[in-house]
Amino acid sequence: MRLKDSINYALKKVLRKKKNIYFIIILAICTSTIIGALYYRATFLNRLRIDLKDIFYNRAVIAWIDGNQDSYTQILNIPHVTEIYDFNYHSYNVISPTFKNDKYTGNITFKYGSKNTLPRNIEGKSFDKNDTGVAICPKNFYPSIIQNVNYFDSKLFLTKNDILNTTFTTKRTKIIRVDGKLVEDGYYIKDFKIIGVYDQIESDGDVDVCYISGKDSKEIYENTTIALNETNQLSMVVAIDSKDNLKKVNTELIKLGYDTSKFYYVDAISSLNIKFISNIAILITTVSITILTVLYISKKSIENNSEVGILKSLGFKNRDIQLINFIEITLIAIISYITGLLIIGLVFLIINTVFKNYLIIHNITIYHSLISYLISFLIIVIIPILTNHFYTYKNSKKKTITILKEEN
């Protein structure tokens, strides 16, 4: 029997039998479940890999030093260290009357910026730590406290076109010390021009975070909240050229006797939970596929006894019957896999469309990987093929009269 004829015959069997269609639907759902679990695993493990809890953008560690020049020089001489600055300049909140309205509260988080600490792939212009009056904000900018957010608002964020090359005013309460007591003394006001935008998801930032120069960070701190700092020791941020060198720098800081207790960390518990949930889902689905496939093919092989007997009586060889059954189950598995891909693709299209704002605010990007498709394909295709081969081989070895008697 020619291969073309075997394929045509097997395809007709696939499409004409309702049980095959039902089995395809079941396998398609299983495919979607496995791919979904693998997407979930890849997406959130990738999210954790860039989520270093203490320091933004994966490029700094914290050390405690006494603030003298020798300490600065000593740390700057460590390989891969690009910059060191006072942690008080690192991050703080301001209010912008420019953005305050019925939709936004005007709250903005400022972070220390320089050529060593700014996000990559900035659209527009950049700046260095000695510049002043400039800012780089997110492409999807939300100058507000993130609570009671209407995630279904089609115009939730201020975009690049809304903010690039515009100027906004900020104010921050001045805190001074009078007779040993801290009191408020009006506001420190400063204007900033947004000269660039960045992708906050790529940089693991927040939608309310703008970067300003180190010079402006220091200026705002010294004019507003320096009175809060009564200690002589300083907490310093040490900027590193690459996140891959963080551990090396940390080791050198420890050797020099610096306290690195606030060195970055990844949430290991969350990582384990993600792996556990995805692995359980994949395991349960795989076991279900195996059981359903064995039940389906074992029953199918009994129901096909008369067909096998007739084919053998017509002169079909064992290899011809095995080939037809192999093609049939392979077509079922492939059609199931493609259908499952379409289902999960539709689901994620809906998620990315309907929950777009939620994903942006929480820095979540559905992470696709080739391994997800490969693993799901192997599970969906290999299990039915191996099971079918076992039963087909077993039946094809029986004599024709035996098969017809079993049918009766």
Side-chain angles (χ1 to χ4, degrees), residues 80-147:
H80 308 296
V81 171
T82 58
E83 189 173 348
I84 180 172
Y85 59 89
D86 190 334
F87 186 70
N88 289 307
Y89 311 154
H90 172 66
S91 175
Y92 44 83
N93 298 319
V94 297
I95 296 292
S96 173
T98 306
F99 294 117
K100 189 173 183 179
N101 52 42
D102 293 338
K103 189 170 184 177
Y104 305 115
T105 63
N107 290 70
I108 300 174
T109 299
F110 275 163
K111 286 193 174 179
Y112 180 100
S114 71
K115 65 180 181 181
N116 299 312
T117 61
L118 285 173
R120 298 171 183 170
N121 302 322
I122 293 171
E123 293 187 38
K125 297 179 181 179
S126 186
F127 60 75
D128 202 358
K129 63 182 179 180
N130 292 319
D131 294 326
T132 185
V134 291
I136 294 175
C137 299
K139 288 181 181 179
N140 295 295
F141 189 33
Y142 189 74
S144 186
I145 297 173
I146 301 177
Q147 63 181 21

Side-chain angles (χ1 to χ4, degrees), residues 49-52 55-60 204 242-243 246:
R49 278 194 290 270
I50 65 172
D51 189 15
L52 303 183
I55 302 300
F56 67 101
Y57 202 46
N58 305 347
R59 307 218 319 184
D204 191 32
S242 168
K243 66 180 181 181
L246 282 169

Side-chain angles (χ1 to χ4, degrees), residues 34-229:
I34 292 173
I35 295 177
L38 289 168
Y39 276 8
Y40 165 82
R41 177 191 178 100
T43 295
F44 288 97
L45 286 182
N46 184 63
R47 179 70 184 81
L48 284 178
R49 278 194 290 270
I50 65 172
D51 189 15
L52 303 183
K53 303 297 181 180
D54 268 328
I55 302 300
F56 67 101
Y57 202 46
N58 305 347
R59 307 218 319 184
V61 295
I62 291 178
W64 293 90
I65 70 173
D66 55 18
N68 63 56
Q69 188 58 46
D70 289 340
S71 298
Y72 282 82
T73 303
Q74 193 177 39
I75 294 175
L76 284 171
N77 285 334
I78 296 175
H80 308 296
V81 171
T82 58
E83 189 173 348
I84 180 172
Y85 59 89
D86 190 334
F87 186 70
N88 289 307
Y89 311 154
H90 172 66
S91 175
Y92 44 83
N93 298 319
V94 297
I95 296 292
S96 173
T98 306
F99 294 117
K100 189 173 183 179
N101 52 42
D102 293 338
K103 189 170 184 177
Y104 305 115
T105 63
N107 290 70
I108 300 174
T109 299
F110 275 163
K111 286 193 174 179
Y112 180 100
S114 71
K115 65 180 181 181
N116 299 312
T117 61
L118 285 173
R120 298 171 183 170
N121 302 322
I122 293 171
E123 293 187 38
K125 297 179 181 179
S126 186
F127 60 75
D128 202 358
K129 63 182 179 180
N130 292 319
D131 294 326
T132 185
V134 291
I136 294 175
C137 299
K139 288 181 181 179
N140 295 295
F141 189 33
Y142 189 74
S144 186
I145 297 173
I146 301 177
Q147 63 181 21
N148 301 321
V149 177
N150 179 12
Y151 290 110
F152 301 102
D153 184 350
S154 60
K155 184 61 177 173
L156 181 63
F157 303 104
L158 295 172
T159 64
K160 168 187 172 182
N161 294 332
D162 298 320
I163 64 175
L164 192 59
N165 296 319
T166 63
T167 299
F168 65 97
T169 300
T170 63
K171 66 178 184 179
R172 196 171 193 235
T173 303
K174 291 182 180 181
I175 306 294
I176 62 174
R177 193 173 292 277
V178 179
D179 297 329
K181 295 181 179 180
L182 296 173
V183 296
E184 295 183 1
D185 185 35
Y187 295 98
Y188 178 78
I189 298 174
K190 190 174 180 66
D191 291 340
F192 292 89
K193 182 179 180 180
I194 300 175
I195 62 172
V197 294
Y198 70 97
D199 186 336
Q200 100 285 346
I201 294 179
E202 178 185 297
S203 302
D204 191 32
D206 294 316
V207 289
D208 67 335
V209 171
C210 290
Y211 292 85
I212 61 173
S213 69
K215 181 178 180 179
D216 286 338
S217 295
K218 179 181 180 181
E219 178 184 312
I220 294 174
Y221 168 71
E222 291 181 345
N223 282 278
T224 58
T225 51
I226 192 172
L228 297 174
N229 186 8

